[in-house]
Amino acid sequence: MKQYLFFDLDGTVTDSKQGIIRSVQHALTYFNIARADEDLLYFIGPPLRDSFGKLFDGDAAKAELAVKKYREYYSVKGIFENALYDGIADLLADLRAAGRVVSLATSKPEPFALRILEHFGIAGVFDHVAGAELTGPRNSKTSVLRYACGLCNVADMESCLMVGDREYDVLGAHAVGMPCAGVLYGYGSRGELEQAGADSLCADVPALRQLLLA
């Protein structure tokens, strides 16, 4: 049993597809770029600057402006075009009741992550909330996890487990020396998670409960 549990947000705790994609579309409209929603799913998970950088072939100035335009929509409306996955709130509460240290570790800017948790009434089930900085060096899953481990005063990475839905969660966890459980109900495919080296896979929230509490 792992004592320290770190949960990703988008695609693991919340189904945030609608708000993120609409925010991306808002940003792309500024640049007169048209893309189908399904072609923008890669924006869910990694840092925004990386995803826009990919879209603009590494043009950092355009990527930075796109992030600004994205947040125009996201900070007002997109942030709440979101839903908790069925059963996840109860699972988080039960993990806390069982004495686990439960933390959020997300590449989403920390102020937005806190607003989302408060909106859904689950901020209190997390011992710590670790997110990216709006501007600053803490913006990758690896740096967020290092920060989160510091908040928890973790001494042994073998007592930790990351739970996420994308390869970035797996690679970030392994970079700091902890295992990662991949969830298949989010936005990453089985192939993506297996290729990244996920230590276990859970098809749905009940399977995740079985893994964490059995």
Side-chain angles (χ1 to χ4, degrees):
M1 291 294 183
K2 304 296 185 181
Q3 178 63 19
Y4 299 95
L5 302 172
F6 301 89
F7 284 81
D8 180 41
L9 182 58
D10 298 324
T12 303
V13 173
T14 67
D15 181 359
S16 52
K17 175 183 174 181
Q18 184 181 74
I20 291 175
I21 296 302
R22 286 183 177 177
S23 300
V24 174
Q25 293 286 22
H26 174 82
L28 295 186
T29 298
Y30 177 82
F31 295 95
N32 294 313
I33 295 173
R35 292 285 189 280
D37 287 358
E38 58 268 24
D39 294 333
L40 300 174
L41 293 178
Y42 68 89
F43 274 86
I44 305 173
L48 278 177
R49 288 175 180 84
D50 292 352
S51 298
F52 279 119
K54 178 179 178 181
L55 183 69
F56 291 116
D57 296 322
D59 188 323
K62 280 187 176 181
E64 194 64 34
L65 179 55
V67 169
K68 180 180 178 181
K69 292 298 178 182
Y70 172 99
R71 288 177 178 163
E72 285 179 351
Y73 183 93
Y74 186 81
S75 64
V76 176
K77 190 171 182 180
I79 189 171
F80 301 123
E81 294 175 326
N82 205 348
L84 289 175
Y85 285 108
D86 288 344
I88 196 69
D90 288 340
L91 173 58
L92 293 168
D94 290 346
L95 288 167
R96 277 293 300 278
R100 310 298 179 79
V101 179
V102 180
S103 300
L104 191 78
T106 174
S107 296
K108 185 182 295 299
E110 195 168 293
F112 292 153
L114 284 166
R115 285 179 65 193
I116 291 167
L117 298 184
E118 290 165 359
H119 174 72
F120 288 118
I122 60 169
V125 303
F126 289 96
D127 292 280
H128 304 286
V129 175
E133 296 173 295
L134 283 167
T135 58
R138 191 174 74 239
N139 55 30
S140 68
K141 186 51 65 87
T142 301
S143 61
V144 166
L145 277 171
R146 288 198 179 108
Y147 171 62
C149 288
L151 294 176
C152 297
N153 294 313
V154 170
D156 177 16
M157 289 297 177
E158 285 302 313
S159 65
C160 301
L161 180 70
M162 177 68 203
V163 180
D165 69 311
R166 298 298 308 274
E167 62 179 339
Y168 311 97
D169 301 307
V170 180
L171 298 175
H174 289 175
V176 301
M178 74 171 69
C180 181
V183 297
L184 298 174
Y185 58 80
Y187 304 114
S189 67
R190 176 182 291 272
E192 174 184 329
L193 291 166
E194 288 180 341
Q195 186 172 0
D199 299 274
S200 56
L201 295 174
C202 298
D204 49 27
V205 174
L208 182 60
R209 171 180 285 275
Q210 178 71 16
L211 175 71
L212 300 180
L213 282 172

